[in-house]
Amino acid sequence: MFPKNAWYVACMPDDIADKPLGRKICGESMVFYRGPEGQAVALEDFCPHRGAPLSLGKVENGKLTCGYHGLEMGCDGKTVSMPGQRVRGFPPIRKFAVIERYGFIWVWPGNPDLADESKLHHLEWADNPAWAYGGGLFHINCDYRLMVDNLMDLTHETYVHASSIGQKEIDEAPVKTVVNGDEVITSRYMENISAPPFWRMALRGNNLADDVPVDRWQVCRFTPPSHVMIEVGVAHAGKGGYDAPAEHKAASIVVDFITPETETSIWYFWGMARSFNPQDAALTASIREGQGKIFSEDLEMLEKQQRNLLAHPDRKLLMLNIDAGGVQSRKVIDRLLAQEATQVTV
């Protein structure tokens, strides 16, 4: 259903600042907290004493204590102590590989022996002061692949997001999809059009006129296991479009980390990174608010789409040329799932 030998965003650092966090990822119930040296830790959310969720406990001096009977767990998944009891012979619980990088806590739900930090691809915008980032989190009741489909085919913007980023020219512009190894890229370019409301706001945020024709682009990049980065922007028409100098455009990257919870639910970490006026906190907040409204419109559509698909599992869906990005992304996912099926897992 979903690749497990891969890095997924689990939470934000602040989520585990002072208490444990319980979260299900790829069907695995996990508890996240900070250990004795402040490092992020992920264990199975299961107390070996009576099966209580460890996430209902507390963390003191980096020690995770079960909230039911006070059993203390080590960061290695082994029991440490319990008031008045001998517990060191208890079988250990699972420990998951974790990385804290780029402002996120990442977890590897599969075999920890296969966890490879080099497989977490570099995010230029996340550690470069020339960029600003703002985002949020939605819990959505849908198959994670439906969200991948949604992000790899932005034709829906004309209809779902008509009041913010949608416009008829999106429907009319040709779409190109290419596959480079495990990366799928779908691109669309529009020339000499009017900027929709969201992008007029972005132009003003970069001190540019918002009432002149623009060239617009959307370049969607899928990378495993379920991440989609979308290069988006507008430039004053005739200045070079996608390749226009910074002083003539408002360009950003829509950041989409899709973390499966179950087969029909996801944790959706969304945001936008931009390379213009990165020091403007008010602009970051304004863009974040606008994005939040846009993505909330996707939420309703995806959840109701999921209900329809569950109610009619045998219905065949149409595949059109605009679906190529999602189709190719699913092929990459299927190939990774097939590879995992041949590996020894824990």
Side-chain angles (χ1 to χ4, degrees):
M1 181 61 186
F2 20 69
K4 288 192 172 183
N5 291 325
W7 294 109
Y8 292 92
V9 174
C11 61
M12 307 297 289
D14 288 348
D15 293 333
I16 57 172
D18 54 7
K19 60 183 179 180
L21 172 71
R23 184 153 287 171
K24 181 172 285 189
I25 294 175
C26 292
E28 303 285 351
S29 294
M30 305 178 186
V31 56
F32 296 85
Y33 68 101
R34 292 201 178 276
E37 299 179 0
Q39 77 276 22
V41 179
L43 301 177
E44 183 181 6
D45 196 9
F46 186 97
C47 178
H49 172 221
R50 301 299 296 167
L54 291 167
S55 57
L56 295 181
K58 61 182 179 180
V59 179
E60 292 183 340
N61 299 317
K63 297 179 180 179
L64 177 62
T65 302
C66 179
Y68 200 8
H69 297 96
L71 184 144
E72 182 184 310
M73 296 300 303
C75 294
D76 57 359
K78 297 179 181 179
T79 56
V80 176
S81 65
M82 185 174 175
Q85 305 295 321
R86 296 180 178 180
V87 296
R88 288 187 176 270
F90 276 20
I93 59 175
R94 286 188 65 186
K95 174 181 172 64
F96 299 92
V98 173
I99 300 175
E100 184 168 357
R101 189 178 296 172
Y102 302 134
F104 301 93
I105 306 292
W106 306 76
V107 68
W108 183 279
N111 186 342
D113 293 335
L114 299 178
D116 182 352
E117 294 192 14
S118 69
K119 291 185 178 180
L120 181 58
H121 50 277
H122 178 64
L123 301 175
E124 167 65 21
W125 51 266
D127 58 4
N128 186 334
W131 288 77
Y133 175 82
L137 169 65
F138 284 155
H139 180 267
I140 306 178
N141 291 309
C142 75
D143 183 326
Y144 75 104
R145 293 168 298 184
L146 293 182
M147 178 56 90
V148 172
D149 294 343
N150 172 281
L151 295 167
M152 292 301 290
D153 171 23
L154 299 183
T155 307
H156 74 275
E157 287 186 359
T158 304
Y159 309 97
V160 180
H161 310 303
S163 64
S164 55
I165 55 177
Q167 57 187 140
K168 62 181 178 60
E169 287 87 356
I170 296 175
D171 284 358
E172 299 167 353
V175 180
K176 179 181 179 181
T177 297
V178 297
V179 180
N180 294 325
D182 286 343
E183 182 182 48
V184 181
I185 305 170
T186 294
S187 55
R188 176 188 272 117
Y189 300 90
M190 295 153 274
E191 296 183 352
N192 201 36
I193 63 173
S194 296
F198 178 88
W199 284 110
R200 289 202 296 271
M201 179 269 291
L203 285 167
R204 294 192 298 272
N206 199 24
N207 302 311
L208 291 169
D210 68 345
D211 58 352
V212 299
V214 298
D215 296 333
R216 184 181 180 186
W217 59 90
Q218 300 169 327
V219 182
C220 310
R221 300 178 185 273
F222 167 86
T223 54
S226 49
H227 306 153
V228 180
M229 303 290 113
I230 310 177
E231 294 181 73
V232 292
V234 293
H236 284 176
K239 299 297 184 179
Y242 177 87
D243 297 312
E247 62 267 24
H248 296 302
K249 65 183 178 183
S252 303
I253 299 175
V254 177
V255 177
D256 306 282
F257 296 124
I258 308 160
T259 299
E261 179 189 37
T262 68
E263 293 186 358
T264 55
S265 61
I266 63 173
W267 302 104
Y268 176 40
F269 296 85
W270 55 266
M272 179 173 277
R274 73 178 190 282
S275 57
F276 60 92
N277 283 349
Q279 75 289 343
D280 190 336
L283 179 59
T284 300
S286 179
I287 289 175
R288 181 185 182 280
E289 180 182 3
Q291 265 207 307
K293 292 177 180 178
I294 291 168
F295 288 137
S296 67
E297 295 166 343
D298 286 305
L299 188 154
E300 179 183 15
M301 181 64 73
L302 288 165
E303 290 193 336
K304 291 184 176 180
Q305 178 189 14
Q306 180 67 70
R307 289 177 205 163
N308 268 352
L309 294 175
L310 290 174
H312 303 281
D314 298 324
R315 295 283 287 270
K316 298 295 184 181
L317 302 181
L318 296 174
M319 292 299 173
L320 306 173
N321 65 322
I322 60 174
D323 301 310
V327 170
Q328 293 300 326
S329 298
R330 286 186 180 230
K331 287 182 178 180
V332 172
I333 293 170
D334 288 343
R335 185 170 71 250
L336 294 177
L337 288 171
Q339 291 174 359
E340 281 196 10
T342 65
Q343 297 172 336
V344 177
T345 59
V346 293

